[in-house]
Amino acid sequence: MKVGFLFNHDALHQIRHTAPVIAEIVRFPGVQAVVLTSSPEQEAHVRALLGPAAEQVHFVRLRIGRLAEALDRTLRFVAPFRRVATLRENLPAFAALDVLVVPETTSLLLRDRFGLTGPRFVWIPHGAGDRSVGFRPVMRGFDLVLLSGAKVRDRMLAAGLIKLENHAIIGYPKFDTIDEAPPTRLFANDRPTVLYNPHFDPKLSSWYTMGKDVLAWFAQQSRVNLIVAPHVMLAKRRLHASVEHRIVHWRRDIERQYRDLPHIHVDMGSEASVDMTYTRAADIYLGDASSQIYEWIARPRPAIFLNAAGVAWAADPDFAHWRLGEVIDEVAALPAALDGAVTDPDRHRAAQEAAFAATFSRTDQPASRRAAAAIVERFGAA
């Protein structure tokens, strides 16, 4: 049985959600693992995560033609043109597989638009957040869905997105890649450190309307440090459009005056922004719609959420994570919210612990091993 693992994204943030499964599935007799990447950076990242297991894996580099390359240079900052072109122009590589494991839903275009009928499709979501984009009808197209825990499963079942027979709970493979060593020390002082982690969604993100004021406030004070580490896709594109919300925003650069301050660390998309370096090192979370809040509460700590769009969120399942901290509607409320986080850091501990337990299944078996076993059990091996 040939099991393919596809990595076909502008950024590297999805890789840790499925790559650990590769090292486990090659342990099964009769299984050949094939890694398909669309950039040298992706392949290098997967190889680094696999270590010696990479020697048991067949790597395939997916390429696109000159016309597609030219169009991508024009469109890459506003649309995922290259991702779709990579699927369309490499159909023989996908047709050779029995199973294709992906961390996103775009790959279903192989079957739904490009007519590929061969492989069975397995989805391991790259995150465990609450946004509506994580619960869309397109998800019904997968043959097997591997989920982090009961929270996501129950919502998908209720929406009819999965069936009892086509899913399994396996935990969160990304956690299998995280170093248990003490968090990295990023500042030469003992002040509390805030992680500002805005999403790229043009409606829900605080970056476009509040980000400049957030940076200005942290720049002029000396009470806390600040890590600015947005979702990596915020930095990848200039123009962010949401078909769902029918809104568009343009991303401005961060001014040099903020990058040069000793108590502010800016990271617009390095490896540290996706490997939990910052979620492990900081003391207070400041965000909006990013699913990284669920990685944050692996160790309960204060969280503050910026309601940039004025959402009526309290009873909305898309904002369930906002119950894990304090929600503020304007930057003027930030100083008081930070004071509360410092003086009463355990205010939301019970809610965070309950949310973590519901979101992530943890057993004595690594999530990646559980995922590999679920794939082989479902589709068999020669």
Side-chain angles (χ1 to χ4, degrees):
M1 181 171 68
K2 287 187 178 181
V3 182
F5 292 80
L6 174 62
F7 302 100
N8 179 29
H9 202 282
D10 312 64
L12 303 177
H13 63 294
Q14 297 181 355
I15 291 178
R16 288 175 180 262
H17 293 277
T18 57
V21 182
I22 303 167
E24 296 295 337
I25 208 164
V26 296
R27 299 174 185 268
F28 286 87
V31 175
Q32 178 185 355
V34 180
V35 170
L36 305 102
T37 65
S38 55
S39 75
E41 294 78 14
Q42 291 165 357
E43 179 174 334
H45 196 64
V46 174
R47 286 184 179 275
L49 288 172
L50 292 181
E55 299 301 318
Q56 304 175 58
V57 175
H58 178 57
F59 285 83
V60 175
R61 179 71 55 76
L62 304 176
R63 304 180 188 278
I64 59 177
R66 291 182 179 180
L67 176 58
E69 287 278 8
L71 289 171
D72 177 61
R73 284 192 289 272
T74 302
L75 299 173
R76 69 178 60 177
F77 294 110
V78 297
F81 175 83
R82 188 184 189 92
R83 278 179 252 164
V84 177
T86 297
L87 298 177
R88 184 185 65 245
E89 298 190 15
N90 291 275
L91 292 178
F94 297 111
L97 304 172
D98 298 298
V99 178
L100 180 62
V101 182
V102 298
E104 36 67 34
T105 60
T106 305
S107 299
L108 284 177
L109 291 174
L110 286 166
R111 181 174 61 199
D112 299 342
R113 182 177 297 180
F114 305 135
L116 188 69
T117 59
R120 311 299 291 275
F121 287 81
V122 179
W123 180 40
I124 304 177
H126 66 280
D130 305 310
R131 289 195 309 137
S132 58
V133 72
F135 302 90
R136 295 176 296 144
V138 65
M139 297 161 188
R140 297 190 180 102
F142 287 96
D143 300 292
L144 180 63
V145 179
L146 302 179
L147 300 170
S148 64
K151 179 198 76 172
V152 177
R153 176 205 60 194
D154 292 348
R155 185 171 172 184
M156 288 187 177
L157 281 172
L161 303 176
I162 57 173
K163 301 175 182 178
L164 291 175
E165 64 271 17
N166 81 331
H167 81 275
I169 289 179
I170 51 92
Y172 201 59
K174 181 176 179 178
F175 286 153
D176 297 348
T177 73
I178 303 306
D179 189 353
E180 295 300 325
T184 303
R185 184 180 174 88
L186 298 172
F187 298 96
N189 61 62
D190 294 323
R191 302 171 190 162
T193 295
V194 177
L195 168 61
Y196 181 34
N197 175 227
H199 201 264
F200 63 84
D201 184 284
K203 178 180 179 180
L204 305 178
S205 175
S206 59
W207 184 255
Y208 310 103
T209 56
M210 293 181 168
K212 187 173 182 178
D213 290 337
V214 168
L215 290 176
W217 186 85
F218 278 100
Q220 56 79 39
Q221 57 77 51
S222 58
R223 297 161 47 199
V224 296
N225 303 313
L226 177 68
I227 301 168
V228 183
H231 189 290
V232 292
M233 288 310 297
L234 186 69
K236 280 289 182 180
R237 296 183 197 159
R238 287 289 187 183
L239 188 66
H240 292 271
S242 170
V243 175
E244 179 186 14
H245 298 128
R246 298 182 180 180
I247 190 171
V248 175
H249 272 304
W250 180 265
R251 175 186 60 80
R252 294 190 297 261
D253 286 330
I254 296 178
E255 291 88 343
R256 174 58 59 183
Q257 68 192 69
Y258 300 125
R259 293 176 178 268
D260 292 338
L261 293 173
H263 67 290
I264 295 181
H265 175 79
V266 176
D267 188 333
M268 296 298 284
S270 80
E271 171 68 8
S273 68
V274 298
D275 69 1
M276 293 182 61
T277 291
Y278 301 135
T279 54
R280 296 178 69 239
D283 304 293
I284 301 168
Y285 182 90
L286 177 63
D288 37 58
S290 176
S291 64
Q292 281 194 41
I293 181 61
Y294 285 102
E295 297 175 3
W296 173 267
I297 62 173
R299 178 164 57 91
R301 285 156 292 168
I304 301 168
F305 302 101
L306 294 166
N307 186 3
V311 177
W313 60 272
D316 190 336
D318 296 346
F319 297 90
H321 57 289
W322 282 8
R323 301 167 197 157
L324 307 180
E326 182 175 353
V327 180
I328 60 176
D329 297 321
E330 55 186 6
V331 178
L334 182 57
L338 289 171
D339 286 341
V342 172
T343 58
D344 188 11
D346 294 324
R347 178 182 170 191
H348 294 94
R349 173 177 286 273
Q352 291 183 359
E353 289 176 341
F356 187 84
T359 303
F360 303 110
S361 170
R362 308 295 292 269
T363 72
D364 58 351
Q365 294 290 314
S368 50
R369 189 170 303 167
R370 296 164 68 186
I375 294 168
V376 174
E377 180 181 351
R378 177 62 187 269
F379 303 114

